[in-house]
Amino acid sequence: MNDTIAPYMGPSSIDVSNVRPKLVDLANGKFAGAQREKDGFPEVFDELSKAIPQYGETLGIHPSMWERVVDKTATLDEIRALKKDVLKLAEVLQESEVYYEDAREADISRIGGFVDATILHGDPSVQAAFQKTLEYRSRYAKKAADQRRKNKQARTETTPAPATEAKAPPHT
């Protein structure tokens, strides 16, 4: 196509049914204080996989504790694999929304141009039929003009007036 858009080639359907029983929806604010995985986890996991079977009993660690770590790690791997695809799909959906919205706005602007030309050079009676379209199309331009006017006014209000020198009275 071109260098700014390309067709999305990723999955169009993402099935989370395998991990659905393990998915949780935390209440707002419950992330605060949560401990997250730190750098070096793979090395720790490898170390624990060797040390727990050898020293777990000596340390008083029940074998089920290591099994829970293994199970949670596998669950995280599944979630993260799905999350990568979901985030990419969400990004593509966002970009597609912006792309088509921009293209639609350009079409509306072109329609407004045809209406303007017809009003100016042909039949001014069409203006009433397209009033909302013309107002919609010019909304950003009016907003920008209003902002420029406000900015100019603010600059003139904050710029001090040139100082006038006091003149000495003439000597007579």
Short mmCIF file of all heavy atoms in Angstrom, two decimals, residues 57-90:
data_model
loop_
_atom_site.label_atom_id
_atom_site.label_comp_id
_atom_site.label_asym_id
_atom_site.label_seq_id
_atom_site.Cartn_x
_atom_site.Cartn_y
_atom_site.Cartn_z
N GLU A 57 12.98 -29.78 52.26
CA GLU A 57 12.61 -30.45 53.51
C GLU A 57 13.43 -29.89 54.67
O GLU A 57 12.91 -29.62 55.75
CB GLU A 57 12.82 -31.95 53.40
CG GLU A 57 12.28 -32.71 54.59
CD GLU A 57 12.41 -34.21 54.41
OE1 GLU A 57 12.31 -34.71 53.27
OE2 GLU A 57 12.60 -34.88 55.44
N THR A 58 14.72 -29.67 54.44
CA THR A 58 15.60 -29.11 55.46
C THR A 58 15.11 -27.73 55.89
O THR A 58 15.17 -27.37 57.07
CB THR A 58 17.04 -29.00 54.92
OG1 THR A 58 17.47 -30.29 54.50
CG2 THR A 58 17.98 -28.45 55.96
N LEU A 59 14.63 -26.97 54.94
CA LEU A 59 14.14 -25.61 55.22
C LEU A 59 12.71 -25.60 55.76
O LEU A 59 12.22 -24.56 56.18
CB LEU A 59 14.20 -24.76 53.94
CG LEU A 59 15.59 -24.51 53.36
CD1 LEU A 59 15.47 -23.88 51.98
CD2 LEU A 59 16.40 -23.64 54.29
N GLY A 60 12.03 -26.71 55.71
CA GLY A 60 10.64 -26.77 56.16
C GLY A 60 9.65 -26.28 55.12
O GLY A 60 8.55 -25.85 55.45
N ILE A 61 10.06 -26.33 53.84
CA ILE A 61 9.19 -25.87 52.75
C ILE A 61 8.41 -27.07 52.22
O ILE A 61 8.99 -28.05 51.76
CB ILE A 61 10.02 -25.22 51.62
CG1 ILE A 61 10.75 -23.98 52.15
CG2 ILE A 61 9.12 -24.86 50.44
CD1 ILE A 61 11.72 -23.39 51.14
N HIS A 62 7.10 -26.97 52.31
CA HIS A 62 6.25 -28.05 51.80
C HIS A 62 6.35 -28.07 50.27
O HIS A 62 6.38 -27.01 49.63
CB HIS A 62 4.80 -27.82 52.24
CG HIS A 62 3.93 -29.00 52.02
ND1 HIS A 62 3.32 -29.27 50.82
CD2 HIS A 62 3.58 -30.01 52.87
CE1 HIS A 62 2.62 -30.39 50.91
NE2 HIS A 62 2.75 -30.86 52.16
N PRO A 63 6.41 -29.25 49.65
CA PRO A 63 6.53 -29.34 48.19
C PRO A 63 5.42 -28.59 47.45
O PRO A 63 5.63 -28.12 46.33
CB PRO A 63 6.45 -30.84 47.90
CG PRO A 63 6.82 -31.51 49.18
CD PRO A 63 6.43 -30.58 50.27
N SER A 64 4.26 -28.43 48.05
CA SER A 64 3.15 -27.74 47.37
C SER A 64 3.48 -26.25 47.16
O SER A 64 2.95 -25.63 46.24
CB SER A 64 1.85 -27.89 48.14
OG SER A 64 1.93 -27.21 49.39
N MET A 65 4.37 -25.69 47.99
CA MET A 65 4.72 -24.28 47.81
C MET A 65 5.45 -24.09 46.49
O MET A 65 5.17 -23.16 45.73
CB MET A 65 5.57 -23.76 48.97
CG MET A 65 5.90 -22.28 48.82
SD MET A 65 6.77 -21.60 50.23
CE MET A 65 5.40 -21.43 51.37
N TRP A 66 6.39 -24.97 46.18
CA TRP A 66 7.10 -24.89 44.90
C TRP A 66 6.15 -25.15 43.75
O TRP A 66 6.21 -24.48 42.72
CB TRP A 66 8.29 -25.85 44.88
CG TRP A 66 8.93 -25.95 43.53
CD1 TRP A 66 9.01 -27.05 42.74
CD2 TRP A 66 9.56 -24.90 42.80
NE1 TRP A 66 9.65 -26.75 41.55
CE2 TRP A 66 9.99 -25.43 41.57
CE3 TRP A 66 9.79 -23.54 43.05
CZ2 TRP A 66 10.64 -24.67 40.60
CZ3 TRP A 66 10.44 -22.80 42.08
CH2 TRP A 66 10.86 -23.35 40.88
N GLU A 67 5.24 -26.09 43.93
CA GLU A 67 4.25 -26.37 42.88
C GLU A 67 3.39 -25.13 42.59
O GLU A 67 3.05 -24.86 41.43
CB GLU A 67 3.35 -27.54 43.30
CG GLU A 67 4.07 -28.87 43.31
CD GLU A 67 3.23 -29.98 43.95
OE1 GLU A 67 1.99 -29.84 44.04
OE2 GLU A 67 3.85 -30.98 44.36
N ARG A 68 3.05 -24.36 43.62
CA ARG A 68 2.28 -23.13 43.42
C ARG A 68 3.09 -22.11 42.62
O ARG A 68 2.55 -21.42 41.75
CB ARG A 68 1.83 -22.54 44.77
CG ARG A 68 0.74 -23.37 45.44
CD ARG A 68 0.04 -22.62 46.55
NE ARG A 68 0.92 -22.04 47.54
CZ ARG A 68 1.26 -22.62 48.72
NH1 ARG A 68 0.79 -23.81 49.01
NH2 ARG A 68 2.06 -21.99 49.56
N VAL A 69 4.39 -22.01 42.90
CA VAL A 69 5.25 -21.10 42.14
C VAL A 69 5.29 -21.53 40.68
O VAL A 69 5.17 -20.70 39.77
CB VAL A 69 6.68 -21.03 42.74
CG1 VAL A 69 7.63 -20.28 41.82
CG2 VAL A 69 6.64 -20.38 44.12
N VAL A 70 5.43 -22.83 40.43
CA VAL A 70 5.48 -23.35 39.05
C VAL A 70 4.15 -23.09 38.35
O VAL A 70 4.13 -22.64 37.20
CB VAL A 70 5.82 -24.86 39.05
CG1 VAL A 70 5.63 -25.48 37.68
CG2 VAL A 70 7.25 -25.08 39.55
N ASP A 71 3.03 -23.35 39.03
CA ASP A 71 1.71 -23.14 38.43
C ASP A 71 1.47 -21.66 38.12
O ASP A 71 0.96 -21.31 37.05
CB ASP A 71 0.60 -23.66 39.35
CG ASP A 71 0.57 -25.18 39.44
OD1 ASP A 71 1.20 -25.84 38.59
OD2 ASP A 71 -0.09 -25.69 40.38
N LYS A 72 1.84 -20.79 39.04
CA LYS A 72 1.63 -19.34 38.81
C LYS A 72 2.52 -18.85 37.68
O LYS A 72 2.12 -17.99 36.90
CB LYS A 72 1.88 -18.57 40.10
CG LYS A 72 0.77 -18.76 41.11
CD LYS A 72 1.04 -18.02 42.40
CE LYS A 72 -0.12 -18.21 43.35
NZ LYS A 72 0.16 -19.14 44.42
N THR A 73 3.72 -19.38 37.58
CA THR A 73 4.62 -19.00 36.49
C THR A 73 4.03 -19.43 35.14
O THR A 73 4.06 -18.67 34.17
CB THR A 73 6.03 -19.59 36.71
OG1 THR A 73 6.52 -19.12 37.96
CG2 THR A 73 6.98 -19.20 35.59
N ALA A 74 3.47 -20.64 35.08
CA ALA A 74 2.85 -21.11 33.85
C ALA A 74 1.63 -20.25 33.49
O ALA A 74 1.42 -19.90 32.32
CB ALA A 74 2.45 -22.58 33.99
N THR A 75 0.85 -19.88 34.49
CA THR A 75 -0.31 -19.02 34.26
C THR A 75 0.13 -17.66 33.73
O THR A 75 -0.45 -17.12 32.78
CB THR A 75 -1.13 -18.84 35.55
OG1 THR A 75 -1.63 -20.12 35.96
CG2 THR A 75 -2.29 -17.88 35.35
N LEU A 76 1.18 -17.09 34.34
CA LEU A 76 1.71 -15.82 33.86
C LEU A 76 2.19 -15.92 32.42
O LEU A 76 1.96 -15.00 31.63
CB LEU A 76 2.86 -15.34 34.76
CG LEU A 76 2.42 -14.75 36.10
CD1 LEU A 76 3.61 -14.64 37.05
CD2 LEU A 76 1.76 -13.41 35.90
N ASP A 77 2.85 -17.00 32.08
CA ASP A 77 3.31 -17.19 30.69
C ASP A 77 2.12 -17.20 29.73
O ASP A 77 2.18 -16.58 28.66
CB ASP A 77 4.12 -18.48 30.56
CG ASP A 77 5.47 -18.42 31.25
OD1 ASP A 77 5.93 -17.30 31.58
OD2 ASP A 77 6.08 -19.50 31.46
N GLU A 78 1.04 -17.90 30.10
CA GLU A 78 -0.15 -17.94 29.24
C GLU A 78 -0.79 -16.56 29.11
O GLU A 78 -1.14 -16.13 28.00
CB GLU A 78 -1.19 -18.90 29.83
CG GLU A 78 -0.85 -20.37 29.72
CD GLU A 78 -1.94 -21.21 30.38
OE1 GLU A 78 -1.92 -21.34 31.62
OE2 GLU A 78 -2.80 -21.72 29.63
N ILE A 79 -0.93 -15.87 30.24
CA ILE A 79 -1.55 -14.53 30.23
C ILE A 79 -0.72 -13.58 29.40
O ILE A 79 -1.25 -12.81 28.58
CB ILE A 79 -1.73 -14.02 31.67
CG1 ILE A 79 -2.83 -14.81 32.38
CG2 ILE A 79 -2.02 -12.52 31.70
CD1 ILE A 79 -2.94 -14.55 33.87
N ARG A 80 0.59 -13.60 29.58
CA ARG A 80 1.46 -12.66 28.86
C ARG A 80 1.47 -12.93 27.36
O ARG A 80 1.55 -11.98 26.56
CB ARG A 80 2.86 -12.70 29.44
CG ARG A 80 2.91 -12.04 30.82
CD ARG A 80 4.24 -12.20 31.50
NE ARG A 80 4.22 -11.50 32.78
CZ ARG A 80 5.02 -11.77 33.78
NH1 ARG A 80 5.96 -12.71 33.66
NH2 ARG A 80 4.93 -11.09 34.90
N ALA A 81 1.38 -14.20 26.97
CA ALA A 81 1.32 -14.51 25.53
C ALA A 81 0.04 -13.94 24.93
O ALA A 81 0.06 -13.35 23.84
CB ALA A 81 1.40 -16.02 25.32
N LEU A 82 -1.08 -14.09 25.64
CA LEU A 82 -2.34 -13.54 25.16
C LEU A 82 -2.34 -12.02 25.22
O LEU A 82 -2.83 -11.35 24.31
CB LEU A 82 -3.50 -14.09 26.00
CG LEU A 82 -3.82 -15.57 25.80
CD1 LEU A 82 -4.73 -16.07 26.91
CD2 LEU A 82 -4.45 -15.80 24.44
N LYS A 83 -1.79 -11.48 26.29
CA LYS A 83 -1.76 -10.02 26.48
C LYS A 83 -1.03 -9.33 25.35
O LYS A 83 -1.45 -8.28 24.87
CB LYS A 83 -1.11 -9.69 27.82
CG LYS A 83 -1.06 -8.23 28.15
CD LYS A 83 -0.38 -8.02 29.50
CE LYS A 83 -0.08 -6.55 29.73
NZ LYS A 83 0.68 -6.34 30.96
N LYS A 84 0.07 -9.92 24.90
CA LYS A 84 0.84 -9.34 23.79
C LYS A 84 -0.05 -9.18 22.56
O LYS A 84 -0.08 -8.12 21.94
CB LYS A 84 2.04 -10.24 23.48
CG LYS A 84 2.91 -9.78 22.33
CD LYS A 84 4.06 -10.72 22.07
CE LYS A 84 3.61 -12.04 21.59
NZ LYS A 84 3.61 -12.37 20.22
N ASP A 85 -0.81 -10.23 22.23
CA ASP A 85 -1.71 -10.16 21.07
C ASP A 85 -2.86 -9.18 21.31
O ASP A 85 -3.26 -8.44 20.41
CB ASP A 85 -2.27 -11.54 20.74
CG ASP A 85 -1.23 -12.47 20.13
OD1 ASP A 85 -0.21 -11.97 19.60
OD2 ASP A 85 -1.43 -13.70 20.17
N VAL A 86 -3.40 -9.18 22.53
CA VAL A 86 -4.51 -8.28 22.85
C VAL A 86 -4.05 -6.83 22.76
O VAL A 86 -4.76 -5.98 22.20
CB VAL A 86 -5.07 -8.59 24.26
CG1 VAL A 86 -6.00 -7.49 24.74
CG2 VAL A 86 -5.80 -9.93 24.26
N LEU A 87 -2.87 -6.52 23.31
CA LEU A 87 -2.37 -5.14 23.26
C LEU A 87 -2.10 -4.72 21.82
O LEU A 87 -2.40 -3.57 21.45
CB LEU A 87 -1.11 -5.00 24.11
CG LEU A 87 -1.32 -5.09 25.62
CD1 LEU A 87 0.02 -5.06 26.35
CD2 LEU A 87 -2.24 -4.00 26.12
N LYS A 88 -1.56 -5.61 21.01
CA LYS A 88 -1.31 -5.27 19.61
C LYS A 88 -2.64 -5.05 18.89
O LYS A 88 -2.79 -4.10 18.12
CB LYS A 88 -0.49 -6.37 18.92
CG LYS A 88 -0.18 -6.07 17.46
CD LYS A 88 0.62 -4.78 17.31
CE LYS A 88 0.93 -4.48 15.86
NZ LYS A 88 1.65 -3.22 15.69
N LEU A 89 -3.61 -5.91 19.15
CA LEU A 89 -4.92 -5.75 18.52
C LEU A 89 -5.58 -4.45 18.99
O LEU A 89 -6.16 -3.72 18.18
CB LEU A 89 -5.82 -6.95 18.83
CG LEU A 89 -7.19 -6.98 18.15
CD1 LEU A 89 -7.07 -6.85 16.64
CD2 LEU A 89 -7.93 -8.26 18.52
N ALA A 90 -5.46 -4.11 20.28
CA ALA A 90 -6.01 -2.85 20.78
C ALA A 90 -5.32 -1.66 20.09
O ALA A 90 -5.99 -0.69 19.72
CB ALA A 90 -5.86 -2.76 22.29
#
